[in-house]
Amino acid sequence: MSKNSRDLTWIPRLLGVATAGYSVAIIANPSLFARPTGLQADGAPLPTATAIGVRALGGRDLASGAAMALAPAGKALRTAVAVRVGADVADLAVLGTSLPGKQYRAKAAGVAAVWGALCGLSYLAAGD
């Protein structure tokens, strides 16, 4: 890629930082993910199993986001982006078919699809 393309590595890095930031937030407070996805009813306590699952998901996303933010430009950054996109595809499939309630499934699938598409496009800016 040209030098100009290399200068655009800030795009996947910014997406990685955003992914990592959200991940830290849901690890610290799983309700931030559980409530909007219908895994926790308003006013209800968060089930322990749900909190564990959300934190595991957050850990996966923290790792992929940190890799996007920190990997050297080129093959390493493209690999980190590909892993992130793979995680979004998995979220699209699992959350888009398994969450309780059609509205929650549609919202989660939409978020996963948009975030996966943005990260996928950022692959083009990951450098040589």
Side-chain angles (χ1 to χ4, degrees):
M1 291 192 167
S2 70
K3 181 182 183 299
N4 191 29
S5 295
R6 190 171 297 128
D7 294 340
L8 296 177
T9 59
W10 65 268
I11 297 169
R13 296 191 190 293
L14 179 64
L15 293 170
V17 168
T19 298
Y22 178 70
S23 300
V24 168
I26 66 170
I27 290 167
N29 182 2
S31 291
L32 293 173
F33 180 88
R35 272 191 240 111
T37 56
L39 295 173
Q40 179 184 12
D42 288 334
L46 180 66
T48 300
T50 301
I52 291 168
V54 170
R55 286 187 172 116
L57 184 99
R60 175 204 74 182
D61 289 353
L62 176 58
S64 68
M68 286 175 64
L70 301 172
K75 185 176 181 178
L77 183 53
R78 288 191 310 271
T79 301
V81 170
V83 168
R84 175 70 250 152
V85 171
D88 290 320
V89 169
D91 290 347
L92 175 65
V94 173
L95 300 175
T97 61
S98 303
L99 289 175
K102 185 176 181 178
Q103 75 277 16
Y104 297 118
R105 291 190 299 273
K107 182 169 44 172
V111 169
V114 168
W115 198 252
L118 286 173
C119 290
L121 288 171
S122 82
Y123 184 93
L124 301 172
D128 305 338

